Amino acid sequence: QKEVEQDPGPLSVPEGAIVSLNCTYSNSAFQYFMWYRQYSRKGPELLMYTYSSGNKEDGRFTAQVDKSSKYISLFIRDSQPSDSATYLCAMSASEAAGNKLTFGGGTRVLVKP
Amino acid sequence: GAVVSQHPSRVICKSGTSVKIECRSLDFQATTMFWYRQFPKQSLMLMATSNEGSKATYEQGVEKDKFLINHASLTLSTLTVTSAHPEDSSFYICSAGSLAAYRGGELFFGEGSRLTVL
């Protein structure tokens, strides 16, 4: 079993719909949770960063972390065709700069105009 | 966010040659840099962790003699694919962390380098 599970998709939604993404994980030591967006043939771009459980909102993006269930989510409101990309969740157990991230497999999202 | 530059973005080489990829942190000092490999429609696979001034730590299954990593300064790390073969063709991405700008686990990624070995 992978440490972080993420549905690969593709997830196809009409423009304006809410995109709902999630990851589950098994390592209870994870405390820092991130969502990255990756366009084709580009490096990942950090979208959201959350520490421990709770919700965080930034514009059209909302990240939720439920540590008791080992489940994190990302919601994209009023989705646009430009949101079409692969979304990767990532997690870390430590604040240390040298601590590596553990990534989910990525979910491919397609927003149709 | 912080900027990480990766060069070249694309490289095509003949089998048996060596290729060097550079990763630079442009506006911060990166104490730690990571190198990943990504196959089409797959997630990032961590290859190695490099700390400035010390030897890189390679993940299991990654050949350290084939993928040479040098992190000689706080702003530059290089990955050299030695004696490249077609199976080394992939998308290579670096990321960097900064003690000053760091939030636990937060990393900034380069744009990636697509290597094609003929």
Side-chain angles (χ1 to χ4, degrees), chain A residues 4-7 21-25 34-35 69-74 87-91 103-107:
Chain A
V4 179
E5 296 279 358
Q6 186 176 4
D7 190 322
L21 304 165
N22 59 76
C23 289
T24 58
Y25 62 95
M34 285 138 277
W35 285 95
S69 302
K70 298 188 179 67
Y71 185 91
I72 69 170
S73 302
L74 177 71
Y87 291 81
L88 299 157
C89 64
M91 311 179 186
F103 284 89
T107 300

Side-chain angles (χ1 to χ4, degrees), chain B residues 84-102:
Chain B
H85 291 283
E87 58 266 29
D88 298 324
S89 299
S90 190
F91 193 53
Y92 293 88
I93 307 175
C94 71
S95 67
S98 159
L99 281 177
Y102 212 74

Side-chain angles (χ1 to χ4, degrees), chain B residues 58-118:
Chain B
Y58 290 80
E59 295 298 302
Q60 191 173 10
V62 178
E63 300 175 61
K64 59 182 67 176
D65 294 331
K66 181 166 189 61
F67 299 100
L68 301 179
I69 291 172
N70 184 282
H71 193 163
S73 76
L74 285 171
T75 59
L76 174 64
S77 176
T78 60
L79 167 68
T80 301
V81 183
T82 61
S83 186
H85 291 283
E87 58 266 29
D88 298 324
S89 299
S90 190
F91 193 53
Y92 293 88
I93 307 175
C94 71
S95 67
S98 159
L99 281 177
Y102 212 74
R103 295 179 293 181
E106 183 179 19
L107 294 175
F108 304 100
F109 285 82
E111 286 286 280
S113 299
R114 181 161 300 281
L115 170 63
T116 302
V117 184
L118 302 177

Side-chain angles (χ1 to χ4, degrees), chain A residues 9-25:
Chain A
L11 177 62
S12 182
V13 301
E15 183 175 357
I18 294 175
V19 176
S20 176
L21 304 165
N22 59 76
C23 289
T24 58
Y25 62 95

Side-chain angles (χ1 to χ4, degrees), chain A residues 10-17 19 79-84 109-113:
Chain A
L11 177 62
S12 182
V13 301
E15 183 175 357
V19 176
S79 58
Q80 305 294 313
S82 59
D83 293 326
S84 298
V109 172
L110 178 61
V111 180
K112 294 183 177 180

Side-chain angles (χ1 to χ4, degrees), chain A residues 95-100, chain B residues 31-32 34 49 51 102:
Chain A
E95 271 192 325
N99 193 61
K100 59 188 179 184
Chain B
T31 49
T32 305
F34 301 88
T49 303
N51 293 297
Y102 212 74

